């Protein structure tokens, strides 16, 4: 969150100017920068020589070329030597040139101190009855400032500045990227443009989170740059920021909070996806291990079954072989028995035949003997 503080550069400016003005009054003017004439301004003829920057002109003051610094209005400085231009510095100078051109007749009015620390003449510049100091502020190219004790033109310049602020002109607009309004709007717009929708895939969440964090970092950097205007930067931007920060800081803070919530949600989704992936991986690993165990168990059972079947087949083969051997033995025994029976029958027949033959021979012999005796 941006730090809350009140800009004190106005008070500091007054202190510095008082000391510097006292010193400036002791200086002897040289070159084209001269102490203004003490004669009444209305009695003198002053003309513009050229516009130096948004709040500084070179004028012919009663015949003397004098550098005039417009009082109670501060404008951004254009580029000079190695110094880059402040925001809208060139534009401020160009705008002042539309108000004051070489040869224009002007009227000068002064305040308590007529010189600034640089020896430039401090004055309210009028053209055609209009205060140019205020016209510059009304165009959005200057802010009202006081350097005590000089505050004669402050109210007119401040009123004109408020008009420019309401109309968002120049330094108060968003057309130029360097303005405070534009920088705030840009930071807030990028933050608010972030899509709060949370993607479902890890890769999309990762991309979204990277984008959100980048936008948050850029917005925070811009917020820091704005906050640094409290102590550094050009006086004009610092004054504008000092007037806006009480309303801009809460807007930026809210936008950053919204973006941070999106980032937190994306991080939570990312963590959830990672947990889900790890859980899925764990389940897949467990399933793979269980499947491997089941396959191994099935292989072992198949092996055991095959072994048992092989043993049973072997046993069956052995039993079959025994049965076949037994049957063969029984067949052989039967065959032998039949052969023995056949032999016995043949022997019996032979014995009976021989017995018959013996009986017949005996009978025949008995008959022959009987015949012989008879």
């Amino acid at each position: 969150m941006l730090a809350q503080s009140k800009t004190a550069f106005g008070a500091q400016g007054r202190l510095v100017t008082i000391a510097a003005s006292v010193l400036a009054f002791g200086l002897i003017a040289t070159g084209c920068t001269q102490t203004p004439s003490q004669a009444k301004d209305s009695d003198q003829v002053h003309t513009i020589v050229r516009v130096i920057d948004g709040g500084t002109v070179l004028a012919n003051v009663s015949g003397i070329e004098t550098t005039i610094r417009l009082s109670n209005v501060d404008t951004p400085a254009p580029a000079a030597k190695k110094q880059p231009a402040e925001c809208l510095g060139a534009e401020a100078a160009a705008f002042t040139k539309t108000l004051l051109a070489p040869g224009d007749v002007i009227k000068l009015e002064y305040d308590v101190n007529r010189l600034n620390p640089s020896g430039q003449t401090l004055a309210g510049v009028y053209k055609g009855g209009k205060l140019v100091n205020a016209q510059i502020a009304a165009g959005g190219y200057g802010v009202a400032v006081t350097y005590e004790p000089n505050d004669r033109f402050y109210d007119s310049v401040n009123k004109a500045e408020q008009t420019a602020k309401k109309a968002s002109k120049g330094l108060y607009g968003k057309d130029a990227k360097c303005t405070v309004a534009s920088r705030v709007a840009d930071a807030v717009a990028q933050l608010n443009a972030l899509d709060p929708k949370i993607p479902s895939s890890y890769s999309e969440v990762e991309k979204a989170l990277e984008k959100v964090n980048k936008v948050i970092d850029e917005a925070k950097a811009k917020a820091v740059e704005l906050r640094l205007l409290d102590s550094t930067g050009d006086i004009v931007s610092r004054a504008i920021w000092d007037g806006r920060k009480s309303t801009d800081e809460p807007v930026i803070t809210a936008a950053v909070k919204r973006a941070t919530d999106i980032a937190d949600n994306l991080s939570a989704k990312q963590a959830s996806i990672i947990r889900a992936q790890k859980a899925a991986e764990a389940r897949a690993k467990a399933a793979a291990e269980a499947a491997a165990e089941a396959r191994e168990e099935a292989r072992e059972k198949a092996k055991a079954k095959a072994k048992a079947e092989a043993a049973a087949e072997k046993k069956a083969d052995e039993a079959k072989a025994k049965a076949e051997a037994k049957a063969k033995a029984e067949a052989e025994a039967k065959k032998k028995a039949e052969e023995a029976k056949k032999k016995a029958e043949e022997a019996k027949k032979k014995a009976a035949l021989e017995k018959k033959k013996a009986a017949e021979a005996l009978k025949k012999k008995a008959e022959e003997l009987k015949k012989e005796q008879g």
Side-chain angles (χ1 to χ4, degrees):
M1 180 176 177
L2 297 176
Q4 300 289 337
S5 63
K6 292 185 178 180
T7 303
F9 81 92
Q12 294 171 352
R14 295 188 185 100
L15 295 173
V16 171
T17 305
I18 291 172
S21 297
V22 172
L23 177 62
F25 275 112
L27 296 175
I28 299 175
T30 60
C32 67
T33 303
Q34 302 290 337
T35 303
S37 171
Q38 299 301 314
K40 290 183 179 180
D41 185 67
S42 59
D43 297 334
Q44 301 176 26
V45 176
H46 311 313
T47 57
I48 294 294
V49 176
R50 64 184 175 88
V51 172
I52 297 175
D53 59 34
T56 312
V57 298
L58 182 65
N60 189 319
V61 179
S62 300
I64 302 175
E65 286 193 352
T66 306
T67 302
I68 308 295
R69 186 72 180 86
L70 280 67
S71 293
N72 297 130
V73 63
D74 216 327
T75 60
K81 295 182 180 179
K82 294 183 179 181
Q83 293 297 323
E86 294 175 349
C87 182
L88 298 186
E91 290 81 355
F95 181 77
T96 301
K97 287 178 181 179
T98 67
L99 302 175
L100 299 172
D104 284 351
V105 176
I106 59 172
K107 177 185 176 183
L108 300 177
E109 292 188 5
Y110 307 101
D111 207 339
V112 178
N113 289 339
R114 290 200 175 194
L115 295 177
N116 67 10
S118 299
Q120 298 170 331
T121 297
L122 298 170
V125 177
Y126 289 85
K127 175 188 170 185
K130 294 182 179 180
L131 180 61
V132 177
N133 309 44
Q135 286 182 298
I136 293 171
Y141 293 100
V143 295
V145 292
T146 58
Y147 294 93
E148 292 181 353
N150 287 13
D151 60 3
R152 177 179 175 181
F153 309 101
Y154 177 81
D155 289 341
S156 297
V157 175
N158 183 54
K159 184 177 180 181
E161 180 188 351
Q162 299 312 311
T163 301
K165 186 184 296 185
K166 290 179 181 179
S168 298
K169 288 185 177 180
L171 291 162
Y172 292 97
K174 300 176 184 177
D175 294 336
K177 290 187 176 182
C178 63
T179 65
V180 172
S182 179
R183 290 156 72 179
V184 171
D186 183 48
V188 172
Q190 290 187 57
L191 289 167
N192 288 340
L194 293 172
D195 188 356
K197 184 178 179 181
I198 307 300
S200 56
S201 71
Y202 183 86
S203 60
E204 291 300 318
V205 169
E206 190 174 37
K207 289 179 182 178
L209 184 59
E210 183 179 356
K211 178 183 177 181
V212 170
N213 285 332
K214 181 180 179 181
V215 172
I216 290 175
D217 289 342
E218 290 175 351
K220 286 183 176 180
K222 290 175 183 177
V224 169
E225 290 176 1
L226 290 168
R227 187 176 61 203
L228 288 175
L229 291 176
D230 288 331
S231 56
T232 61
D234 59 271
I235 292 176
V236 175
S237 294
R238 191 190 315 171
I240 293 173
W241 169 243
D242 190 60
R244 290 180 57 102
K245 65 181 178 182
S246 62
T247 54
D248 285 342
E249 283 186 332
V251 173
I252 296 174
T253 300
V256 170
K257 173 65 168 57
R258 174 183 178 275
T260 302
D261 288 343
I262 294 174
D264 290 343
N265 292 337
L266 287 168
S267 296
K269 180 64 174 180
Q270 191 178 50
S272 174
I273 292 174
I274 291 174
R275 287 195 299 271
Q277 287 178 337
K278 287 183 177 179
E281 289 172 357
R283 287 194 298 271
K285 183 179 179 181
E289 290 176 349
E293 289 178 0
R295 287 194 298 271
E296 183 63 27
E297 184 178 353
R299 280 196 295 269
E300 291 298 324
K301 285 183 178 180
K303 286 170 65 177
K305 182 179 179 182
K307 185 176 181 180
E309 289 177 348
E313 186 177 355
K314 182 180 179 182
K315 189 174 182 180
D317 290 342
E318 290 176 349
K320 182 180 179 181
K322 286 183 178 180
E324 289 176 349
K326 181 179 180 182
K328 185 179 180 180
E330 288 176 350
E332 289 178 353
K334 183 178 180 181
K335 183 181 179 180
K336 287 180 178 180
E338 288 177 350
E339 289 177 351
K341 182 179 178 182
K342 185 178 180 180
K343 285 181 178 181
E345 289 177 351
E346 288 176 352
K348 185 178 179 181
K349 285 180 179 181
K350 186 178 181 181
L353 182 61
E354 288 177 354
K355 184 177 179 181
K356 183 178 179 182
K357 284 180 177 182
E360 289 177 350
L362 184 61
K363 183 178 178 181
K364 186 180 180 182
K365 191 175 182 179
E367 286 178 352
E368 286 178 351
L369 184 58
K370 186 177 180 180
K371 256 181 197 186
E372 288 175 359
Q373 293 175 357

